[in-house]
Amino acid sequence: SRAEELTDEQWSLIEPLLPRIERLDGRGRPRIEDRAVLNGIFWILRTGAPWADLPGRFPSYQTCHRRFQEWVQAGTLKSVLEALAEDLRRRGKLDLSECFIDGTFAVAKKGGLRGKTKRGKGTKIMAVADGSGLPVAVHIASASPHEVTLVQETVEGRFVTDTPERMIGDKAYDSDKLDAALEAQSIEMIAPHRGNRKKPPTQDGRALRRYQRRWKVERLFAWLQHFRRILSRHEYHATNFLGFVHLGCLVILMRQYF
C-alpha cells in the first residue's frame, strides 16, 4: 500500500472512533466511506500539496476537504487522538512521569494566529512529549508571544486525562511564576536557570540531569515536520492547521500498536 494509506490494522483502530452519519431520509448521494476520504486527507498531510492536486485514486478533493472541515469543527480528530492516547497510557506505553516541552516555528503566509519574528511571519507549535518522545499535548499560537506564556494552554491541550508529573524545558521556561502555577496542578517544572537570573536559584542539580534527555521533544518536532502540511502552514483558519497537527500526532501514536 502507499505510504499515506491506512492499513487494515490501522483502520481497525480508527473506524470505531469515527461518528456514523447516515441520511435518515434516504435521499441524495450515498456518503463516501470514511477510510477512502481519510486516506486522501493523509496524502495532503504528507505532501503539503494544495487540495486541488489530490490524485484521482482518492475521492474528489472537494469531498475530502469538506469531510476534513466537518471533523475539525466537530472536534472529531482530537477525540480520536484522545481515545488512542488514553488507551496507550492504560497499556503502559505512555510515560507521564517525565515529559518534555518546547516550541517550534511554522511559516504562515496568511490567516489568524500569525506573529512577526526574525524568521518572518508564522505560527508557534507548542508540544509536550512523554518520556519516550511521543506526543501527549499540542497547542498553536501566534509566533510572537514568549513560550513561557503558552505553557498553561499547552498543558490544557493534552490528549490524556492525567497531567505530567514532571515537565522539562530549556532556559526559556525559567520562571518562578510558572513553577508555582504548575505546582498547583501537581506538575514539577524543571528548567535550567538563565544566566541573567537575579533571584536565588530554585532548581535542584539532581533534577536537572533529566534536561540531558530534552532531545526527545526535538525529535518529536522532526517527526511532525516530516509532514509537509505541518512544516509550512497553508490554512487560513488556525483550527484547520491544528487539525493537521492532531493528524500528525495520530499517525505517530498509531505506530505504537504495530
Side-chain angles (χ1 to χ4, degrees):
S1 64
R2 297 176 185 266
E4 68 278 346
E5 296 185 14
L6 291 163
T7 64
D8 291 342
E9 292 81 5
Q10 290 172 330
W11 178 239
S12 69
L13 286 175
I14 296 177
E15 183 182 19
L17 304 175
L18 293 173
R20 298 184 64 85
I21 299 176
E22 298 177 1
R23 290 183 65 103
L24 298 178
D25 57 12
R27 297 178 181 177
R29 295 179 180 179
R31 183 178 170 91
I32 295 177
E33 64 169 15
D34 288 333
R35 181 175 182 174
V37 172
L38 197 51
N39 283 338
I41 296 171
F42 278 138
W43 186 88
I44 296 291
L45 171 70
R46 183 177 65 85
T47 65
W51 287 99
D53 289 352
L54 195 66
R57 65 178 181 273
F58 301 111
S60 72
Y61 80 87
Q62 295 96 330
T63 296
C64 292
H65 183 255
R66 193 181 309 117
R67 194 77 54 88
F68 174 72
Q69 295 270 57
E70 174 189 312
W71 285 336
V72 166
Q73 292 168 10
T76 301
L77 298 179
K78 181 149 188 228
S79 295
V80 172
L81 183 55
E82 289 171 339
L84 290 189
E86 197 60 42
D87 181 60
L88 286 171
R89 186 193 63 80
R90 287 193 297 266
R91 293 168 182 249
K93 292 189 176 183
L94 283 183
D95 177 14
L96 299 181
S97 66
E98 179 181 84
C99 295
F100 305 87
I101 187 168
D102 203 359
T104 193
F105 176 85
V107 174
K109 302 294 185 183
K110 58 185 179 180
L113 291 187
R114 285 190 308 155
K116 291 183 178 180
T117 69
K118 293 179 180 178
R119 298 172 61 183
K121 291 185 178 180
T123 297
K124 178 89 70 176
I125 304 174
M126 297 288 295
V128 176
D130 84 326
S132 299
L134 299 175
V136 293
V138 292
H139 174 67
I140 64 168
S142 164
S144 300
H146 196 285
E147 289 177 18
V148 74
T149 65
L150 303 174
V151 173
Q152 290 282 10
E153 292 170 300
T154 304
V155 172
E156 290 169 6
R158 66 187 183 276
F159 319 137
V160 288
T161 305
D162 293 349
T163 55
E165 293 179 30
R166 303 174 188 86
M167 278 204 311
I168 296 95
D170 59 22
K171 293 180 180 180
Y173 300 91
D174 176 21
S175 165
D176 292 350
K177 183 179 178 181
L178 174 63
D179 291 350
L182 292 176
E183 186 178 3
Q185 302 172 61
S186 301
I187 302 173
E188 179 186 0
M189 185 71 220
I190 300 172
H193 291 315
R194 291 192 294 267
N196 60 354
R197 179 184 172 92
K198 295 182 173 58
K199 296 181 180 179
T202 59
Q203 292 289 349
D204 187 319
R206 291 169 296 180
L208 282 172
R209 293 174 188 167
R210 299 176 185 273
Y211 181 75
Q212 298 174 355
R213 296 188 284 276
R214 204 182 65 84
W215 57 267
K216 294 180 179 180
V217 69
E218 295 170 352
R219 184 182 63 182
L220 170 59
F221 283 128
W223 286 342
L224 286 173
Q225 290 172 341
H226 174 74
F227 304 110
R228 299 190 67 84
R229 199 73 179 200
I230 296 175
L231 179 62
S232 178
R233 174 182 161 186
H234 299 268
E235 282 62 46
Y236 183 85
H237 297 290
T239 51
N240 287 344
F241 182 61
L242 181 58
F244 276 118
V245 177
H246 283 155
L247 276 176
C249 293
L250 179 63
V251 173
I252 293 169
L253 290 186
M254 281 196 300
R255 295 171 184 160
Q256 307 310 306
Y257 283 91
F258 310 107

